[in-house]
Amino acid sequence: MQTFSIGLAGMGNVGAGVFKHLRGNRSLLRERLGYELEVRKIAVRNLSKDRGCEVPAELLTTDWRQLLDDPSIQILVELMGQKQESLELILGAIERRKIVVTGNKALLAEHGREIFEAAMRHNVPVFFEAAVGGGIPIIKTLREAFVANHIQSIHGIVNGTSNFILTQMTEQGLGFADALRQAQDAGYAEADPALDVNGGDAAHKAIILASLAYGFWVPPEKVFVEGIEHLTASDICFAKKLGYRIKLLAVIKADQGQVEVRVHPTLVPASHVLASVNGVFNAMAVRGDVVGDALLYGRGAGQDATTSAVISDLAEAADALSSPRRNLGFTPHSLYGACKPIGECTSEYYLRLAVDDRPGVIAEVASILGRLQIGISSILQPEAAEGEIATLVLMIHRASHAQISTALSQLGALGCVRKTPRMIRVEHFS
Ligand code: NDP
Ligand code: HSE
């Protein structure tokens, strides 16, 4: 039976899972694939660290360049999660005609174009199923299963850590810091967990999905990003009262050749399926012009789920080695190419204001919104004790980002508005 040799760069959460499950499910993989997948070398920083499984010492090295220089290695799996070193490793592997498998979404979001230009020059595939949605096969689905479709929109919960935090805060009443600690202990969070809470990781994934769907690498600076770090228990509570759940959503839409890519906390109607995606689970609602609506759901982070995605890429890499195919992992095309400026993107909104509890306040607020042609769809003002600051929650009809930004700064400048107004987008998936 033919054997394909793998160099594994990184044996942390994900790398250790790949090594463990390649061994554990070896006979199943051999039966299904018709060849052996064998790890020949593993690069780590610390040779004496416990990997949670038995690793022959002779496989380990602290020098990832050895994986490039070993001519017997045919597939290079990059799971170090670094920037410069991972980029050097991937470009070096492509030059040496080693197929690349990576889960490094931050790197792809920033250097996807450069990586795939090299991949095309050398005709070497780069596979990245683990980069988005953990164990959910969203990359292969977009690339292969939905090849017949113009993708009209993708709405995704694509960060497991932030969804886990929001679920713990909403369902268990847990504080932000405790919920984040639990996510880190479970191996869901990035090495730098700020990326999970500030929307950065979800933005990396949104860039990858949009690039795959629309055939050009979306520049990171064109993506609007807001994280969950400023969400308060009272917003979560008001949202619930109004019939919504708050989710960190990646919104990707095509509009007359322009592509809109944004990531932000969003009020999702409690009746919508995405509102029930809880804990570490991710989901992507994809709308294509041929397939219609489709939903993919599964574990978005963690060792085993991500390992499943990496091994599926390994199988694809081995297939490509045994019979070369056209699939390089990403196919550019020229039907799209421009991103919609955020100012022109429209949405509905939730607005929370801390205001003086006195006559005329609602009129002042309404007059600013009216002058800006912004419509109010409902108002909620829970009773406040005399002399206390009142909370005013307004649901706002569709308006552009530019309109609502102007409204927020004018409202913030009103004497009766006591704190910076809080705005969260609302999505009805129409
Ligand atoms: P970890 O931090 O747990 O693991 C990183 C591994 O890379 C460690 O084994 C580390 O060695 C090794 N490493 C880092 N730098 C070097 C270097 N310069 N030379 C040699 N080895 C190095 O990360 P994860 O396993 O969680 O993530 C790996 C990648 O997968 C990241 O890009 C991440 O974004 C992505 N990913 C992670 C998911 C998850 O759920 N965790 C899900 C999907 C993708 P040592 O152990 O000795 O320190
Ligand atoms: N930190 C990431 C998350 C890992 O929580 O979604 C999976 O990409």
Side-chain angles (χ1 to χ4, degrees), residues 234-235 238 350-362 365 379-394 411 414-422:
S234 78
D235 289 322
F238 277 121
Y350 154 104
L351 222 58
R352 177 169 56 79
L353 304 173
V355 293
D356 289 338
D357 192 8
R358 62 167 169 75
V361 164
I362 291 187
V365 168
I379 298 185
L380 175 73
Q381 184 184 343
E383 215 169 311
E386 213 174 320
E388 267 191 9
I389 301 290
T391 300
L392 195 58
V393 174
L394 300 117
L411 289 170
L414 282 177
C416 61
V417 173
R418 293 311 190 94
K419 289 186 190 155
T420 308
R422 180 77 192 123

Side-chain angles (χ1 to χ4, degrees), residues 6-55:
I6 297 167
L8 185 56
M11 204 183 202
N13 265 318
V14 186
V18 171
F19 186 78
K20 196 171 78 184
H21 289 293
L22 275 177
R23 296 218 152 173
N25 283 3
R26 186 176 177 173
S27 43
L28 173 76
L29 287 164
R30 197 197 289 137
E31 290 292 321
R32 283 207 173 129
L33 304 176
Y35 40 72
E36 290 271 5
L37 293 168
E38 190 188 320
V39 176
R40 280 273 162 85
K41 223 168 230 147
I42 305 170
V44 292
R45 280 179 298 213
N46 179 352
L47 290 175
S48 52
K49 200 167 171 179
D50 177 14
R51 305 286 161 187
C53 56
E54 218 168 286
V55 187

